[in-house]
């Protein structure tokens, strides 16, 4: 499952949307238009395959349970980083729009978590170097497993960071990490083995099915790719650190929530800290400003009023539908 | 998954109707949906009263656009469970009483949990309502209006169409595999060949479809 809109703030979502659209633009420019056109059916069919592949239950040996394939690394290995990234972008967009998985505002977050980390980090920095010299079953498997694990670990770190910066849940950073990282280690291992086995089969049937940049142009494109990654990570890092510095209370808040901060057994201090944790992180993260805290004491009537309004709208809506049906019948 | 494919058909049938909402320019609908999502998500995690009011929009669209409630509600179940599971710790960590209903005090944690849930329901409904009043082709036009690269839009359209092709391909293969008496999951010895064969076969078919498109005068550069 992907991040949903409700978990993030417009600032986090917007930043990630801007970053990921920059990456989409970079990827489109990287594939020349005539090559793009030729590879279009393969990209489309691989993306669509990921949807259909959810039907396949892979029995995990020795556990009695079964797993599914996520497919980010598979896309990168078969299509190459740029085309893999673009295909992932379309997959995520379709999922957000038609399958209620993800969201429009969270699209950027999901694309960074699932597309960027696999196609532009794990693939060129881990899979490529491992399989560069010899491409056989062993290197393919090792490369696919390590790259999948690293990609998924980075992705789930991204989820934790984006959720934490948005502050929509009170889940402490430590607890969230402790929950997310081990699960994604297991998922990454299974994903890696499936990816490795499938890629090896495809390679044994037809080596052309696996993406490879030609030996001569390889150095050049890799260099360009590296520079691109460095620039992008600088931009991302700069933006993220802006968040961090604009709200120094975030870390304090995290430390307090995870129980690292001393001295919260005093009642007054504890009260102030809980007050501060409510007030401090929000003005910076919300467009709404600090009015959120005020008026909360009296907002029972507000909630009741909203519910009432909603109820009236719902009844009106149902009446409209009924009337429309009747009109249709008369016609 | 077959069910979700039927859902895709259902959504498409809804979108193909000739209603006022469906005829609106897709670019406007996309912008409106995005603005709606931004407005909701910008509200603070305690703003339950304000967030609740935003429900007017989906209710209105459902009424005007004549979209069945059932279709939307059934798709909201899993995302709702997910957002609850992520917010479930809010009531534990955040116990300060912020509101009283009669004599019962409601802690900030419960308010933020409900706010999160309502936000998830509204934002997902908004997206689902967008696609149940707009066809994929219209959506593509809307995205082109915002200057998305044409090949990317073509990729989106092609992928959407291939989902059905691939689903029937995979379901046939899986049926054949299970009919040969294998257990509940695909054995590790068949992981590569089963998935690989499906991929190779689908790729060949996709090329045939693509060649047919080329013969009918298609070109990715123009549309």
């Amino acid at each position: 499952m992907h991040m949903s809109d409700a978990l993030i703030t417009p600032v986090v979502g917007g930043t990630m949307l801007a970053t990921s659209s920059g990456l989409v633009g970079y990827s489109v420019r990287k594939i020349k238009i005539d090559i793009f056109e030729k590879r279009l059916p393969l990209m489309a069919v691989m993306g669509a395959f990921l949807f259909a592949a959810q039907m396949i239950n892979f029995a995990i040996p020795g556990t009695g349970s079964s797993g599914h394939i996520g497919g980010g690394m598979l896309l990168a290995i078969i299509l190459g980083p740029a085309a893999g990234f673009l295909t992932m972008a379309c997959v995520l967009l379709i999922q957000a729009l038609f399958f209620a998985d993800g969201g429009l505002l969270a699209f950027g977050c999901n694309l960074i978590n699932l597309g960027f980390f696999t196609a532009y980090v794990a693939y060129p920095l881990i899979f490529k170097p491992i399989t560069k010299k010899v491409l056989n079953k062993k290197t393919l498997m090792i490369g696919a497993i390590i790259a999948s694990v690293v990609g998924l670990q980075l992705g789930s770190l991204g989820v934790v960071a984006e959720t934490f910066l948005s502050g929509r849940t009170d889940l402490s950073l430590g607890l969230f990490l402790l929950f997310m990282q081990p699960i994604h280690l297991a998922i990454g291992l299974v994903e890696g083995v499936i990816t490795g086995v499938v890629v090896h089969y495809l390679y044994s049937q037809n080596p052309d099915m696996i993406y490879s940049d030609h030996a001569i142009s390889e150095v050049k494109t890799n260099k360009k790719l590296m520079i691109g990654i460095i620039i992008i990570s600088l931009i991302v890092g700069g933006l993220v650190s802006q968040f961090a510095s604009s709200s120094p209370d975030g870390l304090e808040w995290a430390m307090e929530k995870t129980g690292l901060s001393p001295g919260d057994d005093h009642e007054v201090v504890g009260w102030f800290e809980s007050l501060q944790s409510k007030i401090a992180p929000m003005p910076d993260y919300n467009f709404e400003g600090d009015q959120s805290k005020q008026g909360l004491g009296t907002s029972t009537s507000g909630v009741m009023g909203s519910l009432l309004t909603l109820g009236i709208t719902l009844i009106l809506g149902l009446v409209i539908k009924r009337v429309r049906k009747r009109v249709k019948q008369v016609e | 998954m077959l069910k979700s494919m039927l859902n895709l058909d259902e959504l498409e049938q809804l979108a193909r109707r000739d209603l006022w909402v469906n005829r609106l320019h897709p670019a406007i609908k996309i912008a409106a949906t995005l603005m709606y999502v931004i407005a909701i998500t910008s509200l603070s995690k305690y703003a339950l009263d304000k967030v609740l009011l935003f429900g007017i929009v989906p209710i209105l669209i459902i009424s005007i656009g004549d979209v069945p409630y059932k279709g939307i509600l059934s798709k909201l179940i899993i995302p709702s469970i997910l957002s609850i599971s992520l917010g479930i710790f809010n009531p534990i960590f955040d116990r300060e009483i912020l509101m009283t209903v009669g004599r019962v005090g409601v802690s900030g944690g419960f308010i933020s949990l409900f706010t999160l849930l309502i936000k998830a329901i509204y934002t997902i409904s908004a997206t689902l309502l967008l696609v149940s009043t707009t066809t994929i082709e219209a959506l593509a036009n809307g995205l082109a209006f915002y200057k998305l690269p044409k090949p990317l839009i073509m990729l989106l359209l092609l992928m959407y169409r291939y989902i059905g092709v691939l689903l029937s391909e995979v379901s046939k293969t899986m049926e054949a595999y299970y009919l040969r008496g294998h257990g509940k999951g695909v054995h590790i010895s068949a992981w590569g060949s089963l998935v690989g064969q499906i991929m190779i076969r689908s790729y060949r078919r996709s090329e045939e479809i693509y060649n047919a498109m080329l013969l009918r005068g298609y070109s990715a550069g123009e549309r």
Side-chain angles (χ1 to χ4, degrees), chain A residues 1-2 4-10 24 28 33 36-38 40-49 51-52 54-61 64-65 74 78 86-87 90-91 93-94 96-100 102 104-105 167-172 175-176 193-194 197-198 201-202 205 209 253 257 274-275 278 282 286-288 291-293 296-297 299-300 302-303 306-307 309-310 313-314 317-318 320-321 324 328, chain B residues 1 4 8 11 19 33-34 37-38 41-46 48-50 52-53 55-56 59 62-69 75 78-79 82 86-87 89-90 93-94 96 98-101 112 116 119-120 122-124 127-128 130-131 136 139 143 149 151-152 154-156 158-160 162-163 166-167 170-171 174 178 184-186 188 191-200 202-203 206 210 218-221:
Chain A
M1 290 302 276
H2 310 320
S4 71
D5 288 337
L7 274 177
I8 55 169
T9 55
V24 167
V28 170
I33 189 79
F36 202 149
E37 203 167 317
K38 265 179 209 149
L40 209 53
L42 181 62
M43 288 163 73
V45 90
M46 286 304 144
F49 171 75
F51 288 92
Q54 301 310 311
M55 270 170 66
I56 309 172
N57 279 318
F58 295 93
I60 299 161
S65 57
L74 191 64
I78 292 176
L86 290 176
T87 308
C90 284
V91 168
L93 191 59
I94 291 176
L97 285 170
F98 296 92
F99 291 86
L104 286 182
L105 186 63
R168 290 300 186 232
T169 65
D170 285 328
L171 218 56
S172 72
L175 194 69
F176 203 8
V193 175
I194 298 174
V197 171
V198 171
Y201 180 82
L202 289 175
Q205 295 296 307
M209 286 286 288
W253 177 74
K257 290 280 174 181
S274 81
L275 191 72
K278 290 245 169 50
M282 287 203 294
N286 292 315
F287 288 151
E288 211 199 358
Q291 49 171 308
S292 48
K293 174 79 181 178
L296 273 172
S299 73
T300 317
V303 172
S306 300
L307 278 175
T309 318
L310 211 59
T313 323
L314 189 66
L318 288 173
I320 292 174
K321 276 199 155 183
R324 191 198 294 265
K328 248 185 216 163
Chain B
M1 200 63 197
S4 58
L8 273 188
L11 284 174
L19 287 172
T33 311
L34 199 60
V37 171
I38 290 173
T41 49
S42 68
L43 289 169
S44 97
K45 64 175 180 177
Y46 298 114
L48 184 58
D49 49 345
K50 289 184 198 108
L52 272 173
L53 274 181
I56 293 174
I59 291 174
I62 286 174
S63 310
I64 301 169
D66 203 14
V67 179
Y69 273 101
K75 285 199 161 199
I78 296 172
L82 208 85
L86 276 169
F89 288 102
N90 290 13
F93 289 122
D94 186 358
E96 197 188 350
L98 288 182
M99 194 175 110
T100 48
V101 181
S112 59
L116 185 72
K119 274 183 185 176
Y122 287 174
T123 48
I124 294 165
T127 332
L128 284 174
L130 172 67
V131 291
I136 182 87
L139 272 178
L143 292 174
L152 198 65
M154 203 58 223
L155 176 62
L156 185 77
L158 272 178
M159 195 185 290
Y160 181 83
Y162 281 146
I163 291 175
L166 269 270
L167 271 169
V170 171
S171 72
M174 293 313 290
Y178 289 133
K184 66 171 181 146
V186 178
I188 189 162
W191 284 7
S193 53
L194 187 126
V195 177
Q197 275 303 329
I198 296 173
M199 287 171 95
I200 291 170
S202 320
Y203 175 56
S206 82
Y210 185 70
Y218 154 78
S219 147

Side-chain angles (χ1 to χ4, degrees), chain A residues 93 97, chain B residues 16 22-30 134-150 152-154 156-157 222-223:
Chain A
L93 191 59
L97 285 170
Chain B
R16 293 226 175 274
N22 299 30
R23 280 195 302 266
L24 270 178
H25 196 284
I28 295 171
K29 283 190 269 187
I30 293 172
T134 320
T135 60
I136 182 87
E137 291 84 6
L139 272 178
N141 276 334
L143 292 174
F145 181 85
Y146 292 114
K147 299 280 176 281
L148 234 76
K150 289 232 164 83
L152 198 65
I153 294 171
M154 203 58 223
L156 185 77
L157 285 172
E222 59 205 68
R223 204 183 114 81

Side-chain angles (χ1 to χ4, degrees), chain A residues 3 6 9 31 38 46 52 58 80 83 162 243-244 258 297 322:
Chain A
M3 289 190 80
T9 55
I31 314 172
K38 265 179 209 149
M46 286 304 144
F58 295 93
E162 287 145 14
F243 277 113
T258 44
R322 183 64 60 83

Side-chain angles (χ1 to χ4, degrees), chain A residues 160-192:
Chain A
V160 173
E162 287 145 14
T163 313
F164 182 71
L165 282 175
S166 300
R168 290 300 186 232
T169 65
D170 285 328
L171 218 56
S172 72
L173 193 63
L175 194 69
F176 203 8
L177 281 175
L178 213 64
F179 174 72
M180 290 288 279
Q181 301 310 115
I183 284 186
H184 284 88
L185 181 67
I187 296 175
L189 283 172
V190 175
E191 169 98 26

Side-chain angles (χ1 to χ4, degrees), chain B residues 63-114:
Chain B
S63 310
I64 301 169
D66 203 14
V67 179
Y69 273 101
K70 219 177 127 192
I72 302 289
L73 288 178
S74 64
K75 285 199 161 199
L76 289 174
I77 298 168
I78 296 172
S80 301
I81 294 170
L82 208 85
S83 57
I84 289 177
S85 66
L86 276 169
I88 199 82
F89 288 102
N90 290 13
I92 297 168
F93 289 122
D94 186 358
R95 292 189 180 192
E96 197 188 350
I97 305 291
L98 288 182
M99 194 175 110
T100 48
V101 181
R103 283 189 176 175
V104 186
V106 182
S107 70
F110 273 108
I111 295 177
S112 59
L113 172 62
F114 277 116

